[in-house]
Amino acid sequence: MQGLHLTADLTDCRCDNAWLTDAPRLLDQCVQHVIGAGLQPVNQLAHAFPASAQGPGGVTATVLLAESHLCVHTWPEQAGERYVFLRHFVQLRIASRFVICFYRLNIS
């Protein structure tokens, strides 16, 4: 199978802090954007990491798709960088739908 792997490293994200720390909120938005792009979620999971001396804990949100997957990892505590990593992998035949989802999920 040929696929398209999209990744984005976002730093200095100026979004509301809740996007980086609120696991249910981030996961809900991921699922909504996946559905809005015409993709089919089959399962989902989010995990909030505990706060540390460096700052608030981040989040990992994953949506398992019939077509592949979407993962979002946040690091709000990274030395003022407010770092987010997005990752999509999808079959080439539906890549345009994933690009739409990726674009809509812009939380920077």
Side-chain angles (χ1 to χ4, degrees):
M1 177 191 78
Q2 292 186 338
L4 177 65
H5 190 190
L6 300 172
T7 63
D9 291 298
L10 309 172
T11 58
D12 195 26
C13 295
R14 294 179 219 138
C15 60
D16 180 67
N17 201 50
W19 288 115
L20 305 177
T21 59
D22 185 337
R25 180 179 177 184
L26 181 60
L27 183 61
D28 180 63
Q29 283 297 301
C30 289
V31 171
Q32 286 184 35
H33 288 302
V34 160
I35 292 169
L39 300 169
Q40 182 182 354
V42 296
N43 208 342
Q44 59 194 22
L45 178 67
H47 179 78
F49 294 91
S52 68
Q54 289 80 27
V59 170
T60 293
T62 301
V63 182
L64 180 63
L65 305 170
E67 301 85 2
S68 191
H69 67 271
L70 161 69
C71 295
V72 180
H73 308 280
T74 73
W75 288 270
E77 77 280 8
Q78 287 297 316
E81 289 185 14
R82 295 170 51 95
Y83 178 74
V84 175
F85 178 76
L86 297 167
R87 177 180 170 190
H88 282 302
F89 181 82
V90 68
Q91 301 168 12
L92 277 180
R93 66 181 179 80
I94 57 164
S96 62
R97 285 189 257 165
F98 242 59
V99 171
I100 291 167
C101 179
F102 201 73
Y103 177 77
R104 289 180 179 165
L105 197 58
N106 180 2
I107 59 175
S108 61

